């Protein structure tokens, strides 16, 4: 399938054709974070994930948020939210130029339509859709859901019809999604939030799900 095919399953609402290449640039670190989450064996642990994994994911989220700021058209240097940045280093000072990708003092040319350079239809093995995954950890399911919802939200911004940059209002909409992801990382992540899991899942039972305790296997005569 070509990259421009519409998304499927959790990406079915994604708009994959747009004018704004800056949105594609801002999506790139999100797909990196998604790949890191799915490849991390700590996220297979049903009891939770450790501090290093939480710190790693927060670092990746901060990188996503920095790109959100960079692609936001903000000539008045208004506040674009700082909770994500503060979450990892309260001493960090992030300078965002008024014109991070060039001038805004003249009328720019209109751009043509582009296809989102990420295949969200299940054809890319690095971007699997829900039916291609087997996630044992409920924490991983929640985090992945929040990430995928954010990816779809990026593609549906009204700024997708601009040739470059996103508006401050659209930027703050995405910031809300990033705050949600940060909230999940704080609520479920780290050593303090780990819980003890004593049993295997029915699907992991070597003699089959019906051999798991409290599963009825009797059949009528």
């Amino acid at each position: 399938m070509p990259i421009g095919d519409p998304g499927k399953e959790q990406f079915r609402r994604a708009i994959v054709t747009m004018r704004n290449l800056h949105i594609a640039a801002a999506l790139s670190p999100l797909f990196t974070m998604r790949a890191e989450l799915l490849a991390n064996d700590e996220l297979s642990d049903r009891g939770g994930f450790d501090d290093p994994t939480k710190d790693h994911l927060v670092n990746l989220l901060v990188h996503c948020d920095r790109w959100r700021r960079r692609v936001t058209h903000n000539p008045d240097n208004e506040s674009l939210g700082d909770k994500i940045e503060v979450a990892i280093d309260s001493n960090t000072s992030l300078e965002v130029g008024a014109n991070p990708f060039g001038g805004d003092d003249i009328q720019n040319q209109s751009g043509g339509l582009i296809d989102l350079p990420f295949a969200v239809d299940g054809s890319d093995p690095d971007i699997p859709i829900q039916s291609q995954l087997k996630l044992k950890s409920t924490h991983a399911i929640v985090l992945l859901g929040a990430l995928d919802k954010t990816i779809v939200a990026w593609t549906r911004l009204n700024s997708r019809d601009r040739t470059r940059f996103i508006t401050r209002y659209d930027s703050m909409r995405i910031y809300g999604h990033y705050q949600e992801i940060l909230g999940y990382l704080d609520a479920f992540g780290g050593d303090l939030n780990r819980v003890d899991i004593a049993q295997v899942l029915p699907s992991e039972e070597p003699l089959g799900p019906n051999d798991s305790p409290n599963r009825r296997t009797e059949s009528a005569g």
Side-chain angles (χ1 to χ4, degrees):
M1 296 181 181
I3 286 179
D5 277 356
K8 296 182 179 178
E9 297 184 18
Q10 72 266 44
F11 296 121
R12 63 187 176 276
R13 296 291 184 186
I15 297 175
V16 298
T17 300
M18 62 185 68
R19 296 185 185 279
N20 199 330
L21 189 59
H22 283 174
I23 288 180
L27 280 171
S28 179
L30 266 175
F31 280 108
T32 298
M33 183 176 179
R34 187 180 193 270
E36 287 288 286
L37 186 147
L38 291 176
N40 193 319
D41 57 6
E42 279 287 322
L43 270 298
S44 296
D45 187 340
R46 291 162 59 212
F49 50 94
D50 59 15
D51 284 339
T53 297
K54 175 186 174 182
D55 292 344
H56 180 60
L57 292 173
V58 171
N59 267 284
L60 292 170
L61 181 61
V62 169
H63 185 51
C64 294
D65 194 55
R66 285 173 175 162
W67 268 99
R68 173 188 67 87
R69 292 166 179 249
R70 289 190 182 108
V71 302
T72 299
H73 184 250
N74 189 30
D76 299 323
N77 286 321
E78 296 190 41
S79 173
L80 297 178
D82 60 1
K83 289 184 179 180
I84 309 297
E85 196 78 18
V86 170
I88 189 170
D89 184 359
S90 59
N91 296 318
T92 297
S93 176
L94 182 64
E95 297 295 332
V96 182
N99 310 301
F101 290 116
D104 63 350
D105 53 343
I106 59 173
Q107 173 66 53
N108 283 302
Q109 292 174 300
S110 297
L113 292 171
I114 62 167
D115 288 332
L116 194 68
F118 306 100
V120 290
D121 57 5
S123 62
D124 187 343
D126 295 325
I127 309 177
I129 54 179
Q130 197 72 44
S131 62
Q132 298 169 339
L133 298 169
K134 178 174 173 58
L135 297 175
K136 295 185 295 182
S137 169
T138 54
H139 304 322
I141 293 172
V142 169
L143 278 171
L144 182 69
L147 274 171
D148 290 347
K149 184 174 68 171
T150 304
I151 289 169
V152 172
W154 266 106
T155 72
R156 296 174 65 87
L157 294 177
N158 189 59
S159 297
R160 73 184 184 280
D161 292 322
R162 299 163 60 103
T163 301
R164 53 185 63 79
F165 298 112
I166 64 172
T167 66
R168 183 171 59 87
Y169 302 103
D170 277 346
S171 181
M172 296 309 295
R173 292 183 180 101
I174 295 299
Y175 180 60
H177 287 281
Y178 287 169
Q179 283 185 282
E180 181 180 344
I181 296 171
L182 180 64
Y184 288 138
L185 288 170
D186 285 338
F188 299 130
D191 293 328
L192 290 177
N193 292 319
R194 302 188 84 158
V195 296
D196 177 52
I197 301 294
Q199 309 296 342
V200 300
L201 290 168
S203 61
E204 298 174 313
E205 177 58 55
L207 299 180
N210 287 335
D211 197 64
S212 296
N214 302 313
R215 287 295 181 106
R216 295 185 60 181
T217 59
E218 296 85 2
S219 59

